[in-house]
Amino acid sequence: MIITLGHYLALSSVLFTIGAAGFLYRRNALVALMSIELMLNAVNLTLVAANRWLPAVQGDAGTVAPPAPAGHVFAFFVIAVAAAEAAVGLAIVLSFYRLRKTVRTDAADMLRG
Amino acid sequence: MNPSSTQEIIAFSLFAALAVASALATVTLRNPIRNAVGLFVHVLSLAGLYITLAAHFLVAVQLIVYVGAVVVLFVFVIMLLGPGSETAPDTTGRVPRVIGAAGIASVGIVLASTVRTLAPPRPDRVPEFGTLRHVGEYLFGPAMVPFEVASVLLTAGIVGAFAVAKAHHHKVKMNTETNLAPLKSDAVDESQGDHG
């Protein structure tokens, strides 16, 4: 048996689907934010897995350099964005809870005319 | 193409099963603190998968940022809200829920079975691949500008989170409390006191 790129991509698509389903299904704003984190993590897994399957760079005189870690760096930026998003999202949830005494996403209807 | 070693297969299967199970726990359990624990196990198992992919730098980042900051932030907010962080179960009928779940599951199955067939040969790992030095040289070389933009984003995030959480909500409340009473379905917890 061989662990291929396909295994990682299939796992990551399953995780992304679970996150998307949680985001669509759950009415709890906290769980919706956690589902977003699940989806971002699933995307990170594809980036890191794809980077592992990049071929090494053959230099002159038989030297072998590792491939560019572009996937790792991209995943790093996704993690940075996810951290900022979680901080702002949770602040919004807190301030929303002060207004309505609930974290149900249905209750966020103050803009309705 | 060499067959993967037994250790590799065991590590991948273990962390993959753990990741799926904890992701399901994160989205399905009712108690938010259990969802947070599910997220905690999920990011830990993803760090394990990054080890199998030789992404050493990202393992450290994942552990510091996710386990150390994001999950802790979620737990803090859940503790601040107390029983209010739990919401009443959804009242949508059974049929729409089953149709929706079947639709989402079929999308997931089609997606997973399509990408599952991809099997390019895996190149041998160059020893320095994925190490702090290797990723750092790229981060402070070609990816320098996005790196600095990320720090601006994080600063804006801190300021934004502070501004939103410290908003003058007493003024807002005075203007809105007449027409924005708390929803009756979730407001019951306060009268009952401790909710567990």
Side-chain angles (χ1 to χ4, degrees):
Chain A
M1 165 149 179
I2 301 163
I3 303 284
T4 62
L5 180 59
H7 286 96
Y8 283 99
L9 296 185
L11 170 65
S12 146
S13 54
V14 167
L15 294 178
F16 188 90
T17 313
I18 292 172
F23 183 76
L24 294 173
Y25 255 90
R26 295 298 302 268
R27 303 289 168 85
N28 191 329
L30 288 167
V31 179
L33 279 176
M34 290 184 203
S35 305
I36 295 174
E37 300 294 334
L38 290 186
M39 288 190 274
L40 290 169
N41 268 314
V43 172
N44 276 351
L45 185 60
T46 58
L47 291 169
V48 178
N51 206 158
R52 178 66 186 86
W53 264 262
L54 267 187
V57 182
Q58 304 287 342
D60 309 327
T63 55
V64 181
H72 292 186
V73 170
F74 213 112
F76 173 79
F77 288 135
V78 171
I79 289 175
V81 170
E85 171 260 316
V88 177
L90 286 171
I92 291 174
V93 169
L94 265 184
S95 123
F96 175 66
Y97 180 79
R98 288 200 196 121
L99 268 181
R100 303 298 302 264
K101 298 290 171 241
T102 178
V103 290
R104 276 180 74 87
T105 46
D106 301 12
D109 54 0
M110 282 92 100
L111 279 180
R112 191 157 65 190
Chain B
M1 184 159 54
N2 300 323
S4 310
S5 69
T6 322
Q7 288 166 347
E8 240 177 319
I9 295 168
I10 290 173
F12 176 80
S13 325
L14 178 74
F15 288 128
L18 206 57
V20 172
S22 56
L24 284 172
T26 307
V27 299
T28 53
L29 295 178
R30 289 242 71 88
N31 188 341
I33 202 79
R34 292 192 179 151
N35 301 138
V37 172
L39 187 65
F40 176 76
V41 178
H42 183 76
V43 293
L44 278 182
S45 52
L46 274 180
L49 285 169
Y50 292 162
I51 293 176
T52 67
L53 289 166
H56 300 160
F57 171 68
L58 269 188
V59 174
V61 171
Q62 175 92 359
L63 290 181
I64 293 169
V65 176
Y66 268 107
V67 183
V70 173
V71 174
V72 172
L73 206 59
F74 271 107
V75 173
F76 269 144
V77 170
I78 291 166
M79 289 195 308
L80 271 173
L81 300 186
S85 61
E86 210 163 338
T87 53
D90 202 353
T91 50
T92 315
R94 181 177 288 265
V95 176
R97 287 170 74 94
V98 169
I99 292 173
I104 291 167
S106 55
V107 169
I109 289 167
V110 168
L111 204 60
S113 55
T114 310
V115 294
R116 167 69 191 82
T117 52
L118 276 174
R122 185 171 65 172
D124 289 332
R125 175 171 177 261
V126 182
E128 60 260 43
F129 176 76
T131 56
L132 192 57
R133 183 194 189 94
H134 180 223
V135 181
E137 275 171 359
Y138 193 86
L139 203 55
F140 291 105
M144 186 73 190
V145 174
F147 182 78
E148 297 301 335
V149 172
S151 63
V152 173
L153 171 81
L154 286 171
T155 313
I158 294 169
V159 175
F162 193 75
V164 170
K166 285 280 286 180
H168 308 287
H169 75 98
H170 53 279
K171 283 185 197 164
V172 181
K173 212 172 182 180
M174 277 200 301
N175 294 337
T176 53
E177 66 188 357
T178 47
N179 53 354
L180 283 181
L183 286 193
K184 287 287 175 278
S185 56
D186 285 319
V188 288
D189 294 332
E190 301 206 335
S191 54
Q192 289 170 355
D194 189 65
H195 192 264

